[in-house]
Amino acid sequence: MKVLFTGIQPTGDIHLGNYFGAIANWVRLQHEYTTYISVVDLHALSIPYEPADMPGRVADLALTLYACGIQVDKAVLFVQSEVPAHSELTWIFNTITPLGELERMTQFKDKREQFRASVNVALLDYPVLQAADILLYKGEVVPVGEDQVQHVEFTREVARHFNSRYGDTFPECQALLTATPRVLGLDGDAKMSKSKGNTIGVLETAEQIWAKVGPAKTDPARVRRTDPGTPEKCTIWSYHLLVTPEAERADIHKGCTTAGIGCIDCKKRFQANLMKVLDPIRERYAELAGAGRKGIMERLDANGEKCRAVAATTMAEVREKMGLKRE
Ligand code: SF4
């Protein structure tokens, strides 16, 4: 099987954007590829954070990923900072990466705006660490959304630079574009994101979710209950596309365009369908975070060891080719 590599930052609770945009795909792909999933805590250091919170965030993310359906016997889920070779290979790749290529990255330009007061080198170097993450395991496939394709292309460039300078070592990985569209924020923003406070968390209860969905904006044309609407102009409709069966969706679509249903009814139906997906995840999480916690932490330890062994083999080859070897 081909090697698939992916990573996720421990930046807080997992939301629908993470789940439908990435994790649900990984749950499917783990059966088709040799799958490495990294909790990329080193990446998370590039923006301001509270050290005391980090261990809890890492553990919580691992528990949530397993609760979402990542399987211990299918994917190798591990913590990035527990494999020091990620940092070592980053330095090596730094030596073959033209500065201009990094300065052109769209994500860096966005982050530079966002963190204008504290732009650190890591924000610029982030794609090099990503390339090291993938290539350390000789990753061939990287599941990404449209906004990450540039980073996969960059990784291919890094592999090409290294191979042409030191000899054939790394594969040129392919981006595996996810079929799921970007999940809109509850406020209608183009992206559901923790930093924008417009998320629905996968571990939230029906009551917590209703407190957010109930007041959420819908198609502005539906001022009164009797006004017809256009589902395609409504965030709630975009959520129905993720969780509501097709036949029921057709019914809702008709109800909206003919003012046959109100927005509250429509939101209630979305909530009911969403809970069919989230209730089992929340229950599984409670189980893993309680009695199952020790076993999951031991699994992370074992996976860290396994990854260090794979990384050691790659680094031995890299050092040999680069002349980093004592006579
Ligand atoms: S009925 Fe549903 S799809 Fe139509 S505007 Fe209201 S919430 Fe949106």
Side-chain angles (χ1 to χ4, degrees):
M1 286 199 285
K2 284 189 172 178
V3 175
L4 177 149
F5 185 94
T6 191
I8 181 166
Q9 281 202 37
T11 49
D13 300 337
I14 294 294
H15 54 71
L16 298 191
N18 306 126
Y19 181 74
F20 289 108
I23 298 166
N25 251 333
W26 303 346
V27 169
R28 184 174 52 82
L29 294 168
Q30 68 184 333
H31 300 283
E32 298 167 31
Y33 296 93
T34 298
T35 302
Y36 290 89
I37 302 173
S38 183
V39 174
V40 288
D41 52 350
L42 293 178
H43 283 285
L45 308 184
S46 61
I47 55 174
Y49 76 103
E50 189 50 60
D53 295 343
M54 189 60 95
R57 274 167 33 186
V58 168
D60 216 52
L61 176 54
L63 291 165
T64 309
L65 288 169
Y66 282 127
C68 286
I70 298 303
Q71 293 178 12
V72 288
D73 56 343
K74 291 288 175 200
V76 183
L77 174 62
F78 72 102
V79 181
Q80 184 189 30
S81 65
E82 293 175 4
V83 186
H86 286 254
S87 307
E88 186 184 358
L89 191 57
T90 298
W91 177 254
I92 285 170
F93 286 164
N94 276 340
T95 67
I96 54 165
T97 301
L99 181 60
E101 282 188 22
L102 289 173
E103 286 173 331
R104 271 198 298 276
M105 304 303 282
T106 311
Q107 194 169 315
F108 170 65
K109 290 184 197 162
D110 292 347
K111 290 255 160 99
R112 187 168 50 187
E113 282 301 303
Q114 199 182 339
F115 300 100
R116 210 176 289 185
S118 59
V119 180
N120 56 45
V121 175
L123 281 177
L124 177 72
D125 208 28
Y126 193 104
V128 182
L129 178 55
Q130 254 183 353
D133 296 338
I134 297 164
L135 296 177
L136 202 48
Y137 304 93
K138 305 216 169 172
E140 296 162 285
V141 171
V142 188
V144 286
E146 289 279 0
D147 57 341
Q148 284 289 315
V149 170
Q150 192 184 27
H151 284 195
V152 178
E153 185 48 47
F154 173 82
T155 299
R156 290 160 58 84
E157 276 294 315
V158 170
R160 277 198 284 266
H161 287 317
F162 189 95
N163 291 346
S164 73
R165 172 75 178 85
Y166 298 108
D168 208 19
T169 309
F170 294 111
E172 289 187 23
C173 56
Q174 302 290 331
L176 191 67
L177 273 174
T178 61
T180 316
R182 196 179 281 191
V183 179
L184 299 179
L186 262 174
D187 53 0
D189 191 274
K191 193 173 180 184
M192 187 174 273
S193 128
K194 185 92 184 151
S195 62
K196 290 179 179 158
N198 60 9
T199 62
I200 297 175
V202 296
L203 299 177
E204 288 188 292
T205 62
E207 294 71 31
Q208 289 169 320
I209 290 173
W210 184 252
K212 293 176 172 180
V213 170
K217 281 190 202 137
T218 60
D219 176 4
R222 296 214 70 184
V223 179
R224 288 174 297 268
R225 167 73 175 71
T226 49
D227 294 330
T230 307
E232 289 74 18
K233 291 182 182 169
C234 176
T235 309
I236 303 300
W237 173 252
S238 74
Y239 296 161
H240 273 297
L241 295 175
L242 300 170
V243 294
T244 304
E246 213 172 320
E248 188 183 347
R249 278 209 315 262
D251 186 49
I252 289 168
H253 196 278
K254 187 167 172 224
C256 177
T257 52
T258 59
I261 59 166
C263 289
I264 293 292
D265 291 338
C266 181
K267 288 174 173 178
K268 287 233 151 98
R269 288 170 77 169
F270 156 62
Q271 186 203 23
N273 286 318
L274 178 64
M275 295 327 289
K276 284 181 198 156
V277 177
L278 299 190
D279 281 344
I281 294 176
R282 210 178 52 257
E283 282 158 23
R284 177 106 179 103
Y285 176 86
E287 201 180 297
L288 293 175
R293 189 181 181 94
K294 188 167 173 282
I296 293 296
M297 294 308 127
E298 284 170 0
R299 168 60 60 172
L300 287 181
D301 288 344
N303 286 351
E305 207 171 312
K306 187 172 183 177
C307 289
R308 283 192 292 278
V310 175
T313 305
T314 305
M315 291 310 299
E317 188 185 352
V318 166
R319 286 196 204 99
E320 166 91 37
K321 286 183 170 157
M322 295 184 78
L324 296 172
K325 204 176 168 202
R326 202 147 38 86
E327 284 180 343

